[in-house]
Amino acid sequence: MNFIRYVILALKGCAMGMADVVPGVSGGTIAFISGIYEELLDSIRRFDATALKLLVRLRFGDLWRHVNAGFLLPVLTGIAIAIFSLARLMTYLLEHHPIAIWSFFFGLIVASALLVARQIGRWKWTTLLSFAVGTAAAWWITVATPSETPDTWWFVMLSGAIAICAMILPGISGAFILLLLGKYQYIMQAVIDLNIPVMAIFVIGAAAGIISFSHLLLWLLKRWHDLTVAALMGFMVGSLNKVWPWKDDPAGLIQHNVTPGEFEALHNQPSLLLEAVLLCAAGFLTIYGIEQLARWLQHKRKA
């Protein structure tokens, strides 16, 4: 039974990794809708002074239990497998089949936002305000202009710290944050080329960022659950601006959304509207399929 649980956790990690390599889609969204979000934050939060003491004293068994490594290891393994195996594939698909990929993720995010809405106990004016703030923040991020930045070690480390915080926020894409920081192509190329020094510096920054940020986010979820979840839902809704399938310049860093008809007129090529609608529906149904599977497995465990 433990083996099956590890496989399921690794598959959820793979799904998170797949999302994390796409600018505009968040691995945090996948963690949220697959039911591992709060446990993931709590496990990351446990990398603290106590964990360091256990490591120094070589008490590896206690360290394993303290950081919930039985949960964290398969999830991180799945993320790593997806990132290293799919980086080249996702780059290819985004370049050659952008409408199909963005349509699928558009449906996925819409379904995710609706599922997250179920976790809000009661909608009040404060909850609606939190939702509006989250939506506006994500929308602003999606329309921000990417910038040119240095490739120095300190900025790569800083980029890792900022991007990883976004990666665990549902709806805010860490990959897109890297794009805004001018480091998406640089980091993706490092992954493809197995540039160990660059990846190591990036991972160090990411580790520092996610450990500190997870404390804050978990505290917010425990203290102001509905307000925090509403803001996270807003992040998802706001990010839909980025994943709209039809752009005036699909290959450009600065893009504007257009209608399917405008896309055909601009590029003199079909908008693939039917395929886009079908893939959007497939993304939507995929999320509900994952939710139903999770419910079935939970019911089976209780039985």
Side-chain angles (χ1 to χ4, degrees):
M1 189 64 186
N2 280 341
F3 175 74
I4 295 175
R5 178 175 180 268
Y6 292 152
V7 170
I8 292 173
L9 288 173
L11 290 174
K12 290 179 179 180
C14 282
M16 289 179 64
M18 289 173 62
D20 281 333
V21 298
V22 179
V25 184
S26 169
T29 299
I30 304 298
F32 210 112
I33 60 97
S34 62
I36 63 172
Y37 190 69
E38 292 198 35
E39 186 173 2
L40 178 63
L41 290 180
D42 184 61
S43 300
I44 295 169
R45 182 185 60 82
R46 297 185 189 186
F47 284 86
D48 51 13
T50 302
L52 184 59
K53 289 178 183 178
L54 292 173
L55 178 63
V56 170
R57 295 172 183 174
L58 305 181
R59 294 168 56 183
F60 298 118
D62 292 336
L63 176 63
W64 179 276
R65 288 184 291 273
H66 176 72
V67 300
N68 196 17
F71 163 83
L72 205 54
L73 185 61
V75 171
L76 293 179
T77 300
I79 292 173
I81 290 172
I83 288 175
F84 282 99
S85 61
L86 294 175
R88 196 183 300 273
L89 173 63
M90 292 309 299
T91 301
Y92 171 83
L93 291 175
L94 285 170
E95 181 179 351
H96 296 282
H97 303 283
I99 293 177
I101 290 297
W102 291 127
S103 297
F104 180 80
F105 280 110
F106 193 94
L108 185 151
I109 292 173
V110 169
S112 300
L114 293 175
L115 290 181
V116 169
R118 294 181 182 178
Q119 301 189 31
I120 297 174
R122 183 183 175 189
W123 284 94
K124 300 181 291 187
W125 74 267
T126 52
T127 317
L128 289 171
L129 179 61
S130 181
F131 169 75
V133 170
T135 302
W139 190 279
W140 177 81
I141 289 173
T142 64
V143 298
T145 304
S147 57
E148 292 293 330
T149 51
D151 295 336
T152 52
W153 68 269
W154 65 268
F155 195 83
V156 172
M157 187 178 293
L158 179 64
S159 299
I162 296 173
I164 199 68
C165 293
M167 284 179 183
I168 61 174
L169 280 174
I172 299 294
S173 165
F176 187 64
I177 294 298
L178 284 179
L179 192 61
L180 294 180
L181 294 172
K183 285 289 159 284
Y184 179 73
Q185 300 282 357
Y186 184 75
I187 298 300
M188 289 295 286
Q189 196 60 48
V191 172
I192 292 171
D193 297 339
L194 290 178
N195 188 330
I196 303 300
V198 171
M199 288 193 296
I201 292 170
F202 183 82
V203 167
I204 291 171
I210 197 171
I211 290 171
S212 57
F213 188 66
S214 62
H215 282 77
L216 172 62
L217 196 53
L218 197 60
W219 179 77
L220 288 172
L221 282 167
K222 289 181 177 178
R223 190 174 180 88
W224 292 294
H225 180 270
D226 283 2
L227 291 178
T228 305
V229 172
L232 297 178
M233 180 187 172
F235 289 152
M236 293 183 186
V237 173
S239 72
L240 290 174
N241 180 60
K242 173 60 184 174
V243 297
W244 178 254
W246 297 280
K247 307 289 185 182
D248 60 350
D249 183 11
L253 288 178
I254 302 176
Q255 303 171 337
H256 300 94
N257 295 335
V258 296
T259 65
E262 289 173 330
F263 180 87
E264 291 183 351
L266 281 170
H267 302 288
N268 195 27
Q269 63 184 59
S271 62
L272 304 176
L273 180 59
L274 178 59
E275 291 88 340
V277 171
L278 291 175
L279 283 166
C280 182
F284 190 95
L285 293 173
T286 295
I287 294 303
Y288 273 90
I290 293 172
E291 186 207 22
Q292 292 302 316
L293 177 61
R295 286 186 177 184
W296 179 78
L297 290 172
Q298 187 177 21
H299 177 74
K300 193 174 181 180
R301 281 198 297 268
K302 289 180 179 179

